[in-house]
Amino acid sequence: MRVLNPARIITLISLYFTFTLLLLGCSSTGNTCRRPLPLTWSNQTLLLEDVTRLSSPAFAGRKTMTPGAALTRDYLILRMQQAGLLPWSSSLAPLTMAPAKHHNPFEQHFSYQYQFTERQGVNLIGMLPATHASGQWRLIVAHYDHLGMRGSKLYPGADDNASGIAAMLALAEHAKSQQRPTNLLFIATDAEEQGLYGSQALVAMLQDNNSQPSMSQIELAINLDMVGRPDRYHTIYLEGRRNFSQFAALQQHLMQAVGLCIRANHPPEAGKTIQRIDWLRSSDHYSFHQAKLPWLYFGIPPHSDYHQTSDIASKIDIEFLAAVTETAYELLIIDSYLLNNRAKQ
């Protein structure tokens, strides 16, 4: 038998305990990811119905400034009303942005330059006040536009982003019947596919001196974009950890609440070692980032049906979408102290 010197023995004991702690840590994290998922309130039938309707041929791919987009807004306004949302009316929005008489009070109309022409977009904004008077706000955002028709080809956009809109509507419907510690603003943005123009218009409105909420009153903006198709790890990816000094505690709370695995960064594209997608600039959360608002983005990596005619409702994993929805809801009721300790950006 080989005799070890005392220093070597101490080193081996130290390594043993370090390895044991790592194993226990992995086991603990693994236990928070559960299958089947213990879902409690989400209505999977209604989630599927919203995704199916929004990605149906009747809405023609929901491209900005098309009849299909107008029909989509009619449907979403009806669903917002059914969920109990109130319009973000002229008494709350900046006076300069009050809706014109011929506009629905849920609509925020805006102009933007795209390909050397002026275009028009329409966001939809509804709110739920806090149960008890509060000056704090949390925002839930999902873009409703997609690619539309290209010739005779329909781009349904079931995952991108009917899934996010369906989750947002489900969040509103559930929040209506629950205690709400803060005011909630639900925004269906337009013209995201062309360049995040809807979220830019929203931020411009929030930066107006007359805005209610003001920028300082916003604790969190949640962006839901492509949340219906899990990867092989059955994981939702949550970007934005640099905004919060207590992100690890936040992540652990979300996983324990619903059991869905959450990773803090999207993986590289399949078969590639270098990340080619800029996740910071990939969706509406970038507009909030530029405005220095705290944000979190739920999403999945692009799949083979991304921006294809095959992105259809039957490929949505409804249990996964329901789990993402219930997980996101935790951010609407979580204690503000986990959100207010912001990390340096």
Side-chain angles (χ1 to χ4, degrees):
M1 180 180 289
R2 183 179 171 191
V3 178
L4 299 176
N5 62 52
R8 180 63 171 168
I9 293 173
I10 292 172
T11 300
L12 289 174
I13 292 173
S14 176
L15 287 172
Y16 169 80
F17 279 109
T18 299
F19 182 69
T20 302
L21 287 173
L22 285 171
L23 285 177
L24 289 173
C26 291
S27 176
S28 174
T29 301
N31 287 339
T32 63
C33 303
R34 301 187 292 276
R35 295 291 303 275
L37 295 162
L39 303 177
T40 58
W41 60 261
S42 51
N43 185 332
Q44 295 185 35
T45 300
L46 190 54
L47 281 167
L48 180 58
E49 180 179 327
D50 281 333
V51 172
T52 301
R53 287 289 301 276
L54 290 167
S55 58
S56 68
F59 295 136
R62 310 185 306 277
K63 187 175 182 178
T64 302
M65 290 185 63
T66 65
L71 289 173
T72 302
R73 288 193 295 275
D74 291 341
Y75 176 75
L76 292 181
I77 289 170
L78 175 62
R79 290 288 291 114
M80 285 177 150
Q81 292 171 329
Q82 291 173 344
L85 296 184
L86 304 171
W88 195 37
S89 65
S90 57
S91 63
L92 293 172
L95 297 178
T96 56
M97 300 296 289
K101 291 182 179 180
H102 61 283
H103 292 161
N104 188 287
F106 282 96
E107 296 178 345
Q108 178 209 359
H109 290 246
F110 60 92
S111 302
Y112 62 98
Q113 293 290 323
Y114 181 70
Q115 295 182 343
F116 306 105
T117 61
E118 184 172 296
R119 308 287 181 97
Q120 304 294 321
V122 185
N123 293 335
L124 302 178
I125 309 176
M127 66 158 294
L128 285 174
T131 304
H132 304 290
S134 170
Q136 301 306 111
W137 292 72
R138 297 180 191 179
L139 279 53
I140 305 91
V141 179
H143 76 89
Y144 71 88
D145 65 303
H146 193 54
L147 305 180
M149 301 286 298
R150 294 179 176 175
S152 60
K153 293 183 177 180
L154 168 67
Y155 289 77
D159 195 23
D160 185 16
N161 185 36
S163 65
I165 287 289
M168 185 191 76
L169 293 171
L171 287 168
E173 195 134 26
H174 185 64
K176 173 186 62 175
S177 62
Q178 306 298 311
Q179 293 287 309
R180 297 179 297 277
T182 70
N183 305 293
L184 301 176
L185 208 59
F186 296 85
I187 307 104
T189 57
D190 195 6
E192 187 270 355
E193 297 286 4
Q194 294 179 355
L196 316 183
Y197 294 109
S199 55
Q200 290 172 10
L202 172 67
V203 167
M205 177 184 284
L206 294 170
Q207 289 173 329
D208 188 283
N209 291 333
N210 296 316
S211 175
Q212 179 68 22
S214 65
M215 297 284 284
S216 63
Q217 291 176 305
I218 299 172
E219 292 185 333
L220 175 65
I222 303 166
N223 183 27
L224 302 165
D225 191 357
M226 293 181 62
V227 290
R229 298 273 299 271
D231 64 6
R232 62 192 177 95
Y233 302 108
H234 213 81
T235 297
I236 189 66
Y237 294 88
L238 186 62
E239 298 282 347
R241 64 178 177 176
R242 293 181 180 178
N243 297 313
F244 305 96
S245 61
Q246 299 194 68
F247 181 83
L250 197 65
Q251 179 184 13
Q252 190 68 14
H253 172 86
L254 296 179
M255 287 195 293
Q256 288 177 339
V258 179
L260 182 64
C261 286
I262 298 173
R263 294 191 181 184
N265 293 99
H266 282 69
E269 295 175 83
K272 298 177 181 177
T273 57
I274 299 176
Q275 181 64 276
R276 298 180 61 188
I277 297 175
D278 185 349
W279 294 109
L280 175 61
R281 295 170 175 81
S282 65
S283 186
D284 282 326
H285 53 273
Y286 184 56
S287 299
F288 304 120
H289 178 82
Q290 289 181 304
K292 301 188 183 305
L293 286 174
W295 56 269
L296 287 169
Y297 157 48
F298 288 91
I300 60 166
H303 43 70
S304 59
D305 299 310
Y306 171 66
H307 281 192
Q308 301 297 319
T309 58
S310 51
D311 184 9
I312 56 178
S314 61
K315 295 184 178 181
I316 296 294
D317 185 327
I318 290 299
E319 183 198 36
F320 180 79
L321 176 56
V324 174
T325 304
E326 293 199 15
T327 300
Y329 175 72
E330 293 297 315
L331 292 173
L332 304 188
I333 60 174
I334 200 168
D335 198 297
S336 294
Y337 87 91
L338 282 176
L339 303 176
N340 287 338
N341 294 286
R342 301 179 190 175
K344 292 182 179 180
Q345 294 192 29

